[in-house]
Amino acid sequence: APAKDLAKQRPTGSVFAWHVLLSLALQLVVHMFTLLSCWQLANAYRPAGYKRDLEGDFEPNLTNTVVFLVLSAMHASSFMANYEGHPFMQPMSANKPLFYSLCFFVASIFLIGSEAIPDINSSLSLVEFPSAEFRRHVLGLLALDIGLSVSLSAVVGAVAVRTGASAAEARAAEWGLGPPAGADRGKKSK
C-alpha cells in the first residue's frame, strides 16, 4: 500500500535509473559469487567418474541440494532488497502478513540448511551434507548472500533518496518555495 505521508521527492520513474541499475548489478555480483562458491563446494564431493543422466529419473545429489538452498536464499534476498518501502510505500514491517511470511521463508531456508529436521529434508528430496564443516560453510554463504544483497541495496537506496531529496530542495528553493535562503533550519525563529 502507498505510504500515508508524502515524501520530499518523487519515486523512481524508471527501472533504468542509476540507483536501480547499480543495486541490481551489485545483487547480481553477490548472487553469482554465492552460487559459484556453493556449486564448487558441492562439486568437490562428486565421485571422480560422475556423469549426468539427462534422460533418466531425477536422483537427488549434493549439488542439487545446495543449489536448491542457494536459489531459495536468492529469491528471498531479491524480494527483500527490491521491496520499495519507506518513504514511497509502507515499510515491510507495516505489512504484517508479508513480513511474517518472508521471515518464515528465510527461517525455513536456514532450518532446512541446518538439517535440524531430517524428515523435512528427505521429503524435499534433499541429501544429507557430508560434514558439519560443509554445513557451516553453506549456511555462511546463504547468510552472506541474504545479508550482503539486502545491505548493499539499502545503502544504494539511501544514497539515492538523499540525493533525490537534496535535488528536490534545490528545485524548491529555485522556485521560491521552502525556507528562505540562509535561514538556519535547526533553530526556530523568535
Side-chain angles (χ1 to χ4, degrees):
K4 296 190 184 341
D5 300 324
L6 291 178
K8 287 183 181 181
Q9 69 281 3
R10 293 180 184 174
T12 303
S14 171
V15 294
F16 299 110
W18 69 269
H19 61 92
V20 174
L21 293 177
L22 179 60
S23 176
L24 291 174
L26 291 172
Q27 289 175 55
L28 177 67
V29 168
V30 171
H31 292 329
M32 293 309 295
F33 169 77
T34 306
L35 183 60
L36 183 62
S37 297
C38 285
W39 183 76
Q40 288 174 339
L41 186 65
N43 280 346
Y45 286 89
R46 276 189 176 168
Y50 176 79
K51 281 195 158 194
R52 289 184 297 175
D53 182 12
L54 297 176
E55 300 299 323
D57 291 336
F58 172 76
E59 290 184 33
N61 61 41
L62 189 59
T63 304
N64 292 341
T65 298
V66 170
V67 169
F68 170 78
L69 289 170
V70 171
L71 291 178
S72 298
M74 285 181 188
H75 287 303
S77 65
S78 294
F79 187 82
M80 288 187 288
N82 296 315
Y83 180 80
E84 188 72 33
H86 184 74
F88 308 118
M89 299 286 288
Q90 286 182 344
M92 190 179 304
S93 59
N95 187 342
K96 298 297 183 196
L98 175 65
F99 180 71
Y100 290 139
S101 62
L102 194 55
C103 288
F104 176 76
F105 181 52
V106 171
S108 298
I109 293 168
F110 284 97
L111 179 72
I112 291 167
S114 68
E115 298 178 317
I117 307 173
D119 290 341
I120 293 176
N121 290 30
S122 63
S123 68
L124 293 173
S125 298
L126 303 177
V127 299
E128 189 176 335
F129 289 153
S131 67
E133 181 182 346
F134 183 90
R135 183 181 317 110
R136 279 192 302 273
H137 201 143
V138 169
L139 289 174
L141 285 168
L142 294 177
L144 176 83
D145 183 73
I146 293 173
L148 201 54
S149 294
V150 173
S151 299
L152 289 173
S153 181
V155 167
V156 170
V159 169
V161 166
R162 177 160 289 180
T163 57
S166 298
E169 286 177 2
R171 280 192 307 274
E174 286 174 10
W175 295 343
L177 304 173
D184 190 4
R185 295 180 192 171
K187 296 181 180 178
K188 293 182 180 178
S189 60
K190 294 182 181 180

